[in-house]
Amino acid sequence: MKNNIIILGGGQAGIYAAREIRQNDSKSNIKILGEENSLPYERPPLSKDFLLDKKKAEDLYFHSNDVIKNENIEFENISINKVDFENKKLFAKNDNVYSYDSLLISTGSENKKLTLDNNLKNDIYYLRNLEEAKKIKEIVSNKNKITIIGGGFIGLEIASSLSQLQKKVIVIEIGNQLMGRIIPKQIADLVQNTHIEHGNEIILNKQIEKITKKNDDYEILLNDNSLIETDFIIAGIGSTPTVKLFENTNLKLDNGIVTNQFCETSIKDVYAAGDVSNFYHPFYERNMRLESYQHAQNHGICAGKNIAGVKTEYTSIPWMWSDQFNLNLQLTGICDEYDEIIERGNDINNGVIYFFLKNNKIRGACGVGIIGKVGRDIRITSKLTEKETIVDKQILSDQNLKLNKLVQK
Amino acid sequence: MSEENWIEVGSTDSIEEEDLIRFDHQDKTFCVYKLTDGFYATDGICTHEAVHLEDGLVMDDEIECPMHQGIFNIKSGEALSPPACEDLKTYPVKVDNDKIFIKID
């Protein structure tokens, strides 16, 4: 049967869903509606190789225009401002109307903004998309002392890149550690040391009281009355799922769009995938929302299968990475449900990993090391987690013993 | 096929099964693998970002990049899983008197 399939959101989840639908369904119309005037592209390099000029915008596309055309996937740059789920229609700002038989929502997430009492809205920069990255790259070339508000992944990756561009960088974090939302303190402290060794200043446990503009520069007043002078401010203080369009509809929302393990929402024929979806994970037996490259890709693929009628549960073990200076940090699974922690290695040059176990099985692990040093062990850990292997703790804790001995074939 | 292009990598017992070693020659880096049915060789640097595959995971005829989990088929070099989308170059391998040789073009 030939259907009209619309994918709302032209990011990673959207394009991977589209290609997966096409693999399973050669007839249906597939149309991606994207708010950005660009084919879907990789976001991770924006804060790293793009700022460092090692990658250009054209290096970031997931697939070329030819690939997308060959698979008969339509891509339209359009902004939707109303959804009628009952009559299966989307309305665009320019009065275009799009009818669908199946809809995938992959609108992603958007940056939280600082709430400032004075009119500094346009003076604070954020980084999520290519346009913002281009702007930051252009402006920082003339700036020297840069303040980053928020010590999460994005803030620290930018801090690492700007340090490599010989900028003086200050990171202000409200919590008592960096990357506190998901990274264990032991790992965060190792990353913090590396930033300090490279000359970045890290300020923890401090809140912004006030930002004042002084000619072309700024003064940031912290809650301990200390004052920071800076000539450029970037904020990375987290994100929220992009769901405004659905707020007054029947679509069930709770920290994003609530979906089951098949990417199905509360409305028939409407699916959601990627950052915007608060999905049920059968392995962890709970709902979760993830903002990561691997998740956007795999969740998009899973949604694509389900839309094409190939009923598929989403069971991917979460995995994410961050690259800062010469470090590669990786996290797999969930590191907040455990009754035992096991440490592997104690030198960042050879990699350090913390395993989080519950009932002798790994639930998650987080590691950091010089690039290349933790990836293999973290990948094996994902497999051990997925297979619920009862692990030999001696092997886990001894870096001289290979973890692949633990994997049952 | 000229003989001088076969470069000696090392002895066959220098690699464990389902594992690899890194081999540097002139200004290039290669990975040489021992799989259940023999030896194979590929470029040593991931096609996605410049990271050495020597620290990657070898499993079921596949090498997985340690940085971003791009996966390649070791025998064909085919990029199997994003973010890798460009294939990895492969090289012929032969074993002579318990020594491994790869043919670099």
Side-chain angles (χ1 to χ4, degrees):
Chain A
M1 201 173 74
K2 187 175 167 178
N3 281 318
N4 272 330
I5 299 167
I6 290 193
I7 297 172
L8 183 58
Q12 187 170 12
I15 186 65
Y16 277 96
R19 295 198 68 194
E20 189 63 30
I21 295 167
R22 183 55 82 222
Q23 287 227 334
N24 294 284
D25 171 355
S26 58
K27 295 194 183 114
S28 289
N29 296 318
I30 305 172
K31 183 177 256 188
I32 301 174
L33 305 178
E35 285 217 331
E36 285 184 65
N37 189 17
S38 164
L39 291 175
Y41 59 88
E42 295 195 52
R43 293 186 198 275
L46 294 179
S47 54
K48 302 176 280 274
D49 281 359
F50 184 79
L51 284 185
L52 293 170
D53 226 6
K54 292 182 187 168
K55 278 193 175 170
K56 309 268 178 228
E58 57 269 25
D59 301 327
L60 305 183
Y61 298 123
F62 286 110
H63 309 292
S64 68
N65 210 3
D66 288 349
V67 169
I68 294 171
K69 269 194 180 149
N70 283 342
E71 295 186 8
N72 200 13
I73 295 166
E74 277 184 83
F75 182 87
E76 193 173 332
N77 172 218
I78 191 96
S79 188
I80 297 296
N81 65 351
K82 198 183 152 208
V83 181
D84 177 353
F85 287 121
E86 202 173 326
N87 295 300
K88 295 188 159 186
K89 286 186 194 319
L90 306 176
F91 301 88
K93 282 180 180 157
N94 66 358
D95 293 337
N96 279 3
V97 181
Y98 302 86
S99 296
Y100 64 83
D101 297 299
S102 298
L103 173 68
L104 171 66
I105 301 170
S106 52
T107 45
S109 54
E110 56 202 55
N111 291 323
K112 284 184 186 163
K113 298 285 168 74
L114 285 172
T115 43
L116 299 163
D117 52 1
N118 50 6
N119 199 15
L120 281 169
K121 225 171 71 184
N122 298 325
D123 291 67
I124 314 289
Y125 287 76
Y126 298 84
L127 176 50
R128 173 162 301 269
N129 62 40
L130 187 55
E131 287 310 308
E132 290 167 332
K134 281 181 185 167
K135 224 182 277 175
I136 288 175
K137 189 172 164 182
E138 185 192 322
I139 297 173
V140 291
S141 63
N142 299 314
K143 304 289 181 187
N144 295 308
K145 194 176 178 189
I146 294 155
T147 300
I148 293 167
I149 300 173
F153 286 120
I154 188 76
L156 293 173
E157 289 179 359
I158 297 169
S160 154
S161 298
L162 296 183
S163 167
Q164 291 173 66
L165 295 170
Q166 318 306 323
K167 309 294 178 188
K168 168 72 189 150
V169 181
I170 301 168
V171 178
I172 304 170
E173 163 60 37
I174 192 169
N176 63 1
Q177 66 160 89
L178 296 173
M179 304 172 287
R181 196 159 60 95
I182 47 171
I183 299 297
K185 187 167 186 327
Q186 300 94 320
I187 298 285
D189 289 348
L190 293 171
V191 173
Q192 179 174 333
N193 290 344
T194 300
H195 276 265
I196 292 168
E197 280 165 18
H198 284 86
N200 286 352
E201 188 179 343
I202 307 282
I203 300 174
L204 297 176
N205 286 313
K206 294 288 181 297
Q207 253 174 296
I208 313 273
E209 289 290 325
K210 197 178 173 193
I211 301 176
T212 314
K213 194 166 184 176
K214 295 255 162 105
N215 299 317
D216 283 341
D217 296 337
Y218 304 91
E219 271 182 6
I220 302 174
L221 176 68
L222 300 181
N223 58 341
D224 63 350
N225 283 327
S226 58
L227 209 55
I228 292 164
E229 289 180 357
T230 189
D231 56 11
F232 191 61
I233 303 173
I234 303 171
I237 53 169
S239 64
T240 53
T242 302
V243 292
K244 200 163 188 301
L245 194 55
F246 318 110
E247 273 169 359
N248 295 310
T249 69
N250 291 332
L251 188 65
K252 190 173 174 196
L253 303 177
D254 176 16
N255 180 29
I257 299 169
V258 178
T259 59
N260 62 13
Q261 63 268 49
F262 303 107
C263 307
E264 295 164 334
T265 69
S266 60
I267 296 177
K268 192 173 178 296
D269 298 327
V270 179
Y271 300 77
D275 288 19
V276 77
S277 154
N278 181 4
F279 65 97
Y280 180 75
H281 198 303
F283 182 81
Y284 291 99
E285 296 179 322
R286 71 185 215 199
N287 271 66
M288 57 177 79
R289 195 173 74 77
L290 298 173
E291 298 161 4
S292 80
Y293 184 99
Q294 173 242 23
H295 172 64
Q297 175 188 300
N298 292 349
H299 209 210
I301 290 171
C302 183
K305 285 190 201 299
N306 285 300
I307 291 168
V310 184
K311 194 96 172 165
T312 307
E313 266 196 334
Y314 185 69
T315 56
S316 249
I317 299 295
W319 172 71
M320 60 179 304
W321 83 82
S322 174
D323 300 327
Q324 298 168 35
F325 296 106
N326 57 346
L327 297 182
N328 174 238
L329 180 156
Q330 297 196 12
L331 180 140
T332 181
I334 299 292
C335 300
D336 62 1
E337 288 176 359
Y338 58 90
D339 52 31
E340 189 175 4
I341 300 177
I342 292 176
E343 183 182 351
R344 179 178 176 86
N346 53 24
D347 176 2
I348 207 160
N349 291 303
N350 297 319
V352 179
I353 297 177
Y354 289 85
F355 299 96
F356 296 84
L357 281 73
K358 196 174 177 184
N359 301 328
N360 300 314
K361 295 171 189 166
I362 300 173
R363 299 294 277 178
C366 183
V368 69
I370 300 298
I371 282 168
K373 291 302 171 197
V374 297
R376 174 163 43 193
D377 284 348
I378 290 287
R379 184 66 183 110
I380 295 170
T381 304
S382 301
K383 290 180 190 283
L384 295 170
T385 306
E386 194 172 14
K387 292 181 177 175
E388 301 196 275
T389 308
I390 304 272
V391 286
D392 180 336
K393 294 170 192 170
Q394 177 62 31
I395 296 180
L396 276 192
S397 63
D398 186 346
Q399 213 163 27
N400 297 314
L401 301 175
K402 285 188 172 181
L403 282 194
N404 52 4
K405 304 273 181 263
L406 294 171
V407 180
Q408 298 152 354
K409 293 245 166 158
Chain B
M1 205 184 271
S2 69
E3 278 301 313
E4 64 263 26
N5 285 342
W6 287 98
I7 312 291
E8 186 181 328
V9 173
S11 67
T12 49
D13 58 10
S14 62
I15 317 178
E16 287 179 43
E17 191 160 302
E18 280 227 318
D19 206 350
L20 82 166
I21 56 166
R22 169 176 163 178
F23 174 63
D24 291 339
H25 180 69
Q26 291 170 348
D27 56 351
K28 287 205 72 181
T29 293
F30 305 88
C31 283
V32 183
Y33 310 81
K34 185 176 184 181
L35 302 181
T36 48
D37 63 351
F39 295 89
Y40 296 87
T42 68
D43 267 340
I45 307 278
C46 182
T47 58
H48 173 242
E49 277 189 28
V51 60
H52 286 280
L53 290 170
E54 64 170 322
D55 294 315
L57 176 65
V58 179
M59 205 168 254
D60 304 330
D61 295 354
E62 291 166 9
I63 172 74
E64 186 169 304
C65 175
M67 198 166 175
H68 301 139
Q69 295 189 356
I71 299 176
F72 303 91
N73 181 297
I74 291 167
K75 296 178 178 176
S76 67
E78 186 189 353
L80 300 173
S81 175
C85 50
E86 193 183 320
D87 293 348
L88 197 61
K89 196 167 165 30
T90 59
Y91 299 89
V93 180
K94 70 174 182 182
V95 173
D96 195 359
N97 280 328
D98 295 331
K99 297 256 190 275
I100 308 165
F101 296 83
I102 65 172
K103 188 172 186 294
I104 301 167
D105 44 26

